[in-house]
Amino acid sequence: YNKDLVLASWAGYDENKEVESEIIASNKTSWINIMEAYFKGKEIAWYDTPKNVIGIPKNAITGDDAKDTSNSAIYYYVKGTENYVFKEE
């Protein structure tokens, strides 16, 4: 995705039935083909990160600050809210 296009694709059954790998592969290939066709010859535009937004590496499983790159992802926060802890009432 980017700011010009978001494309979602779903493959499955109405029943709780396992989806065959061929169907998943076909769905993935269709998604790639559509995205590539749409962007062919176009300049790809991405979002500009606002100056008040920061990215912090976090452990994607625990949410703790990442101490290494395994299981890590970048989480984005408005400056000043990055250490906020949500407390259920």
Side-chain angles (χ1 to χ4, degrees):
Y1 69 90
N2 76 10
K3 68 181 188 176
D4 295 327
L5 178 68
V6 174
L7 174 64
S9 180
W10 179 83
Y13 301 101
D14 290 339
E15 312 84 42
N16 187 15
K17 180 176 152 183
E18 187 172 340
V19 179
E20 296 83 11
S21 60
E22 297 83 15
I23 293 174
I24 294 170
S26 174
N27 193 35
K28 179 180 174 183
T29 301
S30 295
W31 186 91
I32 290 169
N33 290 341
I34 292 166
M35 293 296 280
E36 287 179 347
Y38 177 84
F39 287 112
K40 187 175 185 172
K42 293 181 181 170
E43 184 176 329
I44 296 176
W46 295 100
Y47 293 100
D48 292 327
T49 305
K51 291 184 186 332
N52 67 334
V53 172
I54 57 172
I56 299 175
K58 297 278 190 177
N59 181 301
I61 296 170
T62 66
D64 296 331
D65 289 345
K67 300 193 179 8
D68 59 44
T69 57
S70 64
N71 297 322
S72 69
I74 304 292
Y75 287 71
Y76 293 91
Y77 301 89
V78 174
K79 281 184 186 175
T81 66
E82 61 271 18
N83 293 320
Y84 176 78
V85 177
F86 178 76
K87 295 180 183 175
E88 291 190 37
E89 296 182 24

